[in-house]
């Protein structure tokens, strides 16, 4: 999207926010003044927690530090908010990310302390920004008087720059605020949280120790936050609808829908389901859009990844006369290294804050408001659309003449283990590529970080995802992680044990960084790792093997199949870890193709 388009879209959003802010102030009335009676006031820290509870947030992740301890009292004392103390701030940021991905429409919330804590979390925040995940990062900071006097305080850089971390955070957040006045504290809290949810990106909030304990009016809490996207301009919207209908008519029902990550991040999952079912168009997904559409839906055809796609999927998508793209994120790993063969003249792209119709860009025309009207306009074409055949998306288990747990066999086999409403978390690399070609049952959720690709992210994310699964009444949480990735963030298994969570963790033990080996350095030592005693981990990190935790090692197809078919194992009554012993130089088909394409792009050879 061009700079002009972004500016117009931002202006639309700001106008909407100001309108709602005016409504909030009017509803608050005279009692909004800070001088109201004590019964109508509360501490700033309490106000912040209460706003989050109103949104349905039940967990706050992070690490205690001297500048956030006072605020933590408010968190711990609230009956509807639980504090989840993580082993480090990076893991906590991953957990907040995973919580937000599964708990659609709610932010993940992270609390760190000034400098040393917030900087440790920054990689996780950057990943959430990259992948459009709403995370609120609260940072406990020195008092306003200390910020003005600028003493050489611990956790500072020693040069008086108390705003250095605030400035750094602005590179990875969509909105930010330093609470330095009780007159504006409530409004700023509301603004930042609203931006987080409307724009589906991380936001940053500095909470000084003294401000957290100052009293303000609680009246604004009577007005719920408006987290609806900005309204579309009616005339422009009508023109866009007319243009799309013209293209649909010209395509003579040879239309497909291609869904991607922002379809779920920006809250149009229900509209997208309605679009698919009321038009009858075949629907496919990009890797980051996996599970946005129920993969048991009869008109769902599978994953499109450019050149990496299966031949039948590639042919269906690329031959369509019109592609309705919803929430696209065209990164390299999400497009088969930019090998999409979809001409612009055959594409309509629906996004959260703009729409593209062929070569024309319409800023401020967001898909949340547009899609219900588009569904109504396209419904008359439904009968003809159902004539288009959609190949069944399936992954049969191949027959192999050995008992080695191969990548080709593993993923279809574990696909048979999945149940409706499972949460499937797949680590960057082997696991995420392997799960792509496996159909998920109805209501299942796929969680992976394909764009940012920070290895080890899934362990913290699984913690957050499992908590969100409890909030939503989901089924099991299942993690697939490589031995190398797990070593980066393994401490968070102890937090899962401490809180009684019951994920099933499959550790792919293939002696190192498999995706890196296929990208470059297949036999180089830098892609090797030390081999841990994987089945001792849960016991070491606070569990009691055989009672509160269970660990297994499987080396053959029969051993794994017998375990997957065991009702007690499948019931996931406690946290379980399965070490899968696999060959070092084996990898899923899609990873091999992606690595070959990426290797040409990276140009490592002289």
């Amino acid at each position: 999207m061009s700079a002009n388009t972004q500016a117009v879209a931002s202006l639309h959003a700001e106008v909407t926010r100001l309108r709602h802010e005016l409504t909030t102030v009017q509803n608050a009335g005279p009692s909004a003044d800070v001088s109201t009676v004590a019964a109508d006031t509360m501490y700033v820290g309490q106000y912040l927690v209460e706003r989050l509870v109103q949104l349905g947030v039940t967990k706050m992740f992070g690490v205690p530090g001297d500048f956030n301890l006072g605020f933590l009292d408010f968190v711990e004392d609230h009956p509807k908010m639980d504090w989840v103390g993580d082993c480090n701030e990076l893991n906590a940021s991953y957990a907040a990310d995973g919580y937000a991905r599964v708990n659609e429409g709610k932010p993940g919330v992270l609390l760190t302390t000034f400098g040393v804590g917030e900087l440790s979390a920054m990689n996780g925040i950057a990943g959430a920004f990259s992948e459009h995940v709403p995370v609120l990062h609260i940072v406990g900071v020195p008092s306003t008087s200390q910020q003005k006097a600028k003493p050489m305080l611990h956790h500072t850089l020693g040069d008086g720059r108390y705003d250095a971390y605030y400035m750094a955070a602005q590179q990875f957040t969509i909105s930010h605020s330093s609470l330095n006045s009780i007159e504006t504290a409530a409004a700023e809290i509301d603004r930042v949280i609203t931006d987080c949810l409307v724009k589906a990106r991380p936001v940053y909030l500095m909470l000084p120790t003294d401000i957290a304990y100052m009293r303000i009016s609680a009246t604004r809490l009577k007005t719920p936050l408006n987290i609806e996207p900005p309204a579309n301009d009616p005339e422009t919207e009508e023109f866009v609808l007319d243009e799309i209908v013209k293209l649909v008519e010209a395509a003579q029902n040879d239309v497909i829908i291609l869904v991607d990550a922002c379809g779920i991040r920006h809250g149009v999952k229900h509209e997208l389901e309605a679009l698919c079912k009321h038009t009858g168009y075949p629907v496919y997904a990009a890797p980051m859009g996996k599970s946005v559409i129920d993969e048991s839906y009869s008109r769902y055809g599978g994953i499109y990844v450019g050149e990496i796609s299966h031949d039948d999927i590639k042919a269906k998508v690329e031959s369509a006369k019109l592609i309705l793209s919803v929430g696209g994120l065209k990164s390299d790993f999400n497009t088969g290294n930019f090998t999409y063969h979809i001409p612009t003249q055959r594409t309509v792209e629906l996004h959260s804050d703009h729409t593209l119709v062929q070569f024309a860009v319409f800023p401020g025309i967001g898909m949340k408001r547009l899609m219900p009207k588009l569904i109504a306009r396209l419904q008359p074409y439904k009968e003809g659309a159902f004539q288009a055949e959609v190949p069944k998306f399936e992954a049969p288990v191949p027959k192999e003449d050995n008992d080695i747990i191969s990548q080709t066999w593993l993923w279809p086999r574990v696909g048979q283990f999945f149940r409706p409403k499972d949460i499937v978390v797949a680590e960057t690399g082997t696991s995420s590529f392997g799960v792509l070609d496996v159909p998920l049952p109805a209501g299942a959720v796929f969680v992976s970080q394909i764009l940012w690709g920070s290895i080890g992210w899934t362990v913290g994310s699984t913690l957050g995802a499992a908590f969100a699964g409890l909030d939503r009444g989901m089924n099991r949480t299942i993690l697939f992680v490589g031995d190398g990735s797990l070593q980066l963030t393994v401490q968070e298994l102890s937090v899962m044990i401490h809180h009684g969570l019951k994920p099933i963790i499959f550790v792919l033990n293939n002696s190192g960084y498999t995706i890196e080996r296929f990208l470059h350095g297949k036999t180089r030592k830098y892609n090797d790792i030390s081999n841990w005693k994987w089945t001792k981990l849960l016991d070491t990190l606070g569990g009691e093997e055989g009672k509160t935790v269970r660990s297994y090692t499987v080396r053959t197809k029969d051993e794994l199949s017998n375990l997957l078919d065991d009702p007690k194992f499948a019931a996931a009554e406690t946290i379980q870890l399965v070490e899968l012993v696999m060959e070092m130089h084996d990898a899923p088909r899609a990873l091999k193709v992606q690595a070959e394409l990426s290797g040409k792009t990276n140009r490592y050879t002289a």
Side-chain angles (χ1 to χ4, degrees), residues 74 77 184 268 287 444 579:
F74 298 132
D77 290 345
T184 59
V268 297
E579 176 190 10

Side-chain angles (χ1 to χ4, degrees), residues 545-563:
E545 185 60 47
K547 293 184 179 180
T548 61
V549 303
R550 291 189 176 88
S551 304
Y552 314 85
T553 295
V554 293
R555 301 175 181 276
T556 68
K557 289 185 173 75
D558 284 344
E559 289 176 352
L560 178 57
S561 285
N562 290 337
L563 182 63

Side-chain angles (χ1 to χ4, degrees), residues 243-515:
E243 292 301 301
I244 295 174
V245 170
K246 289 177 186 176
L247 292 175
V248 168
E249 290 175 343
Q252 298 178 325
N253 282 319
D254 188 4
V255 181
I256 64 106
I257 299 170
L258 180 62
V259 303
D260 210 336
C262 287
I264 193 166
R265 302 284 199 274
H266 290 276
V268 297
K269 185 172 182 178
H270 296 301
E271 289 85 352
L272 187 51
E273 290 174 351
L275 176 66
C276 294
K277 292 179 180 178
H278 285 91
T279 63
Y281 296 139
V283 56
Y284 299 85
M288 290 177 70
K290 185 176 177 66
S291 81
V292 175
I293 286 293
D294 191 330
E295 296 193 339
S296 64
Y297 173 50
S298 61
R299 304 290 289 167
Y300 177 72
I303 303 293
Y304 175 67
V305 209
E307 291 292 338
I308 299 176
S309 311
H310 286 286
D311 290 342
D312 55 345
I313 295 173
K314 186 174 184 293
K316 290 288 184 180
V317 173
E318 295 180 0
S319 67
K321 293 180 180 177
L322 183 65
I323 296 94
L324 298 178
S325 169
V326 181
L329 277 175
K330 296 180 182 179
S331 71
D332 52 355
F333 278 23
N334 203 35
T335 63
N337 218 54
F338 310 115
T339 58
Y340 268 22
H341 294 291
I342 304 175
T344 304
Q345 62 265 31
R346 288 197 274 127
T347 304
V348 171
E349 293 188 17
L350 308 182
H351 294 277
S352 62
D353 58 3
H354 69 286
T355 300
L356 284 86
V357 180
Q358 296 178 310
F359 297 96
V361 182
F362 299 91
I365 303 300
M367 58 185 172
K368 180 78 171 178
R369 308 271 191 178
L370 181 72
M371 286 175 70
K373 297 168 186 174
L374 181 61
I375 292 167
R377 296 284 295 270
L378 296 184
Q379 198 157 356
Y381 304 93
K382 179 177 180 179
E383 185 176 344
F386 271 98
Q387 297 174 7
E389 182 185 353
V390 182
K392 185 174 177 58
F393 180 45
E394 54 188 357
V397 180
K399 293 182 179 179
E400 297 181 339
D401 58 359
N402 60 64
D403 211 17
I404 297 170
I405 301 175
S406 67
Q407 297 282 348
T408 303
W409 178 88
L410 172 65
W411 301 109
R413 181 62 187 88
V414 295
Q416 296 177 337
F417 176 71
F418 297 149
R419 294 178 177 174
K421 299 184 75 174
D422 276 346
I423 300 169
V424 180
V425 187
E427 180 61 65
T428 293
T430 305
S431 300
S432 62
F433 279 98
V435 175
L436 280 184
D437 289 335
V438 176
L440 299 180
V445 173
F446 178 65
V447 180
S448 190
Q449 196 191 52
I450 292 171
L451 173 51
W452 186 245
S454 182
I455 64 170
W457 168 85
T458 55
V459 185
S461 185
T462 295
L463 172 68
F467 274 125
L470 293 177
D471 286 356
R472 288 188 54 193
M474 299 291 285
N475 197 5
R476 306 169 300 181
T477 300
I478 303 171
L479 166 63
F480 294 94
V481 61
D483 49 357
S485 295
L486 181 56
Q487 290 188 2
L488 272 75
T489 49
V490 67
Q491 311 98 310
E492 233 47 37
L493 297 182
S494 67
V495 182
M496 299 177 199
I497 295 169
H498 177 68
H499 287 276
L501 296 174
K502 303 170 184 178
I504 301 174
I505 302 156
F506 290 95
V507 182
L508 280 59
N509 182 357
N510 49 14
S511 305
Y513 301 120
T514 300
I515 187 171

Side-chain angles (χ1 to χ4, degrees), residues 67-393:
F67 295 119
N68 66 30
L69 293 175
F71 173 66
L72 263 174
D73 288 345
F74 298 132
V75 176
E76 188 169 310
D77 290 345
H78 199 292
K80 294 184 179 180
M81 180 67 74
D82 295 325
W83 169 249
V84 181
D86 296 87
C87 294
N88 61 54
E89 291 86 358
L90 176 62
N91 290 355
S93 67
Y94 290 165
D97 182 314
Y99 182 87
R101 287 176 191 248
V102 174
N103 233 337
E104 299 163 19
K106 299 180 177 66
V109 183
L110 166 69
L111 176 67
T112 64
T113 196
F114 183 59
V116 293
E118 58 181 306
L119 292 181
S120 293
M122 197 165 285
N123 175 51
I125 297 299
F129 185 93
S130 172
E131 301 217 349
H132 292 246
V133 181
V135 173
L136 168 63
H137 186 186
I138 306 167
V139 182
V141 301
S143 67
T144 52
S145 60
Q146 287 176 314
Q147 291 184 51
K148 290 176 182 176
K150 295 181 172 41
M152 193 178 289
L153 206 62
H154 63 287
H155 298 342
T156 69
L157 298 169
D159 61 359
R161 287 186 294 152
Y162 276 68
D163 63 347
Y165 318 131
Y166 180 58
M167 293 174 67
Q170 293 177 33
Q171 306 303 311
F172 312 107
T173 54
I174 199 72
S175 187
H176 36 80
S177 182
S178 175
L179 300 183
N180 51 31
S181 167
I182 57 172
E183 281 76 20
T184 59
E188 281 295 278
I189 289 170
D190 289 355
R191 176 184 67 81
V192 168
I193 294 175
T194 300
D195 285 347
C196 180
L197 291 170
V198 172
K199 300 177 182 178
R201 290 283 180 88
V203 295
Y204 177 92
L205 191 64
M206 284 177 65
L207 181 60
T209 54
D210 56 336
I211 293 289
Y213 273 80
M214 291 182 180
R215 300 194 76 92
I216 59 172
S217 170
T219 313
R220 286 181 66 100
L221 292 174
K222 297 177 183 178
T223 306
L225 295 179
N226 179 10
I227 57 175
E228 289 298 313
N232 294 337
D233 176 72
E235 290 187 12
T236 308
E237 183 178 66
E238 191 64 24
F239 179 81
V240 168
L241 290 168
D242 288 344
E243 292 301 301
I244 295 174
V245 170
K246 289 177 186 176
L247 292 175
V248 168
E249 290 175 343
Q252 298 178 325
N253 282 319
D254 188 4
V255 181
I256 64 106
I257 299 170
L258 180 62
V259 303
D260 210 336
C262 287
I264 193 166
R265 302 284 199 274
H266 290 276
V268 297
K269 185 172 182 178
H270 296 301
E271 289 85 352
L272 187 51
E273 290 174 351
L275 176 66
C276 294
K277 292 179 180 178
H278 285 91
T279 63
Y281 296 139
V283 56
Y284 299 85
M288 290 177 70
K290 185 176 177 66
S291 81
V292 175
I293 286 293
D294 191 330
E295 296 193 339
S296 64
Y297 173 50
S298 61
R299 304 290 289 167
Y300 177 72
I303 303 293
Y304 175 67
V305 209
E307 291 292 338
I308 299 176
S309 311
H310 286 286
D311 290 342
D312 55 345
I313 295 173
K314 186 174 184 293
K316 290 288 184 180
V317 173
E318 295 180 0
S319 67
K321 293 180 180 177
L322 183 65
I323 296 94
L324 298 178
S325 169
V326 181
L329 277 175
K330 296 180 182 179
S331 71
D332 52 355
F333 278 23
N334 203 35
T335 63
N337 218 54
F338 310 115
T339 58
Y340 268 22
H341 294 291
I342 304 175
T344 304
Q345 62 265 31
R346 288 197 274 127
T347 304
V348 171
E349 293 188 17
L350 308 182
H351 294 277
S352 62
D353 58 3
H354 69 286
T355 300
L356 284 86
V357 180
Q358 296 178 310
F359 297 96
V361 182
F362 299 91
I365 303 300
M367 58 185 172
K368 180 78 171 178
R369 308 271 191 178
L370 181 72
M371 286 175 70
K373 297 168 186 174
L374 181 61
I375 292 167
R377 296 284 295 270
L378 296 184
Q379 198 157 356
Y381 304 93
K382 179 177 180 179
E383 185 176 344
F386 271 98
Q387 297 174 7
E389 182 185 353
V390 182
K392 185 174 177 58
F393 180 45

